[in-house]
Amino acid sequence: MIQRIQTVYLLLVAAAMTAVLFLPLAAVQAGGVFYTYDVLGMHTTTVPPELAHPAWALCALSAVTVLLALITVFLYGNRMRQIRLCIFNAILLVGFYAIFAFFLWNLSAQPDFHFSVRFALSLPLVSLILDYLAIRNIGADEMLIRSLNRLR
């Protein structure tokens, strides 16, 4: 239902994570070569870009997060299931940062390694905050329904 604020939060989570699928996460310099890092992996900046290090797990986590947020919107009849799916979505978002840090840690062994983050790397954190707000509002709706059932 669109009139509930948690629906707006979950749609914003889906929009932010969709943007993560298409925007670069970081710029990397390793051994004098410049790379762009996105959810598919690390690509060279040459005219035909080559995939230097694949990172398919980030792409899969981003896509699952988008789908899970959209599925959660349509489960408005079962609020406890919505809360569980939002918690699972939050765990996936934390896992996104863990996998990204692991990939950067593996790449940091190369000589002359430098990286700079881009705006898209902050979007999973924004999604995590919005997911938390959705959990709080779904819980408030559940408490309101339970209190109304007590009055009957």
Side-chain angles (χ1 to χ4, degrees):
M1 300 177 87
I2 195 66
Q3 65 260 28
R4 295 168 57 203
I5 189 67
Q6 58 264 28
T7 302
V8 175
Y9 292 148
L10 291 170
L11 289 176
L12 287 174
V13 167
M17 291 309 291
T18 302
V20 167
L21 286 170
F22 297 106
L23 296 174
L25 299 174
V28 178
Q29 179 186 4
V33 181
F34 291 99
Y35 300 97
T36 59
Y37 199 94
D38 59 4
V39 293
L40 295 177
M42 198 164 73
H43 300 280
T44 60
T45 56
T46 58
V47 173
E50 290 182 27
L51 183 64
H53 296 284
W56 297 102
L58 289 176
C59 184
L61 274 177
S62 298
V64 168
T65 301
V66 169
L67 289 175
L68 200 58
L70 291 176
I71 288 170
T72 306
V73 168
F74 295 107
L75 293 176
Y76 56 86
N78 192 343
R79 286 171 296 281
M80 291 311 292
R81 184 174 293 156
Q82 267 189 324
I83 290 174
R84 286 186 192 113
L85 288 177
C86 284
I87 290 171
F88 183 66
N89 205 1
I91 292 169
L92 290 179
L93 289 169
V94 170
F96 179 90
Y97 279 119
I99 290 173
F100 183 77
F102 176 74
F103 284 142
L104 278 183
W105 181 69
N106 281 340
L107 293 172
S108 66
Q110 295 181 357
D112 248 1
F113 177 79
H114 301 287
F115 77 96
S116 63
V117 298
R118 299 287 185 236
F119 169 72
L121 193 58
S122 67
L123 291 177
L125 180 63
V126 171
S127 297
L128 187 63
I129 293 168
L130 290 170
D131 203 26
Y132 171 72
L133 291 173
I135 291 169
R136 282 188 48 195
N137 285 314
I138 294 168
D141 278 357
E142 181 66 22
M143 296 304 291
L144 178 67
I145 296 297
R146 287 187 184 186
S147 71
L148 291 176
N149 284 339
R150 258 192 314 256
L151 292 176
R152 288 183 195 178

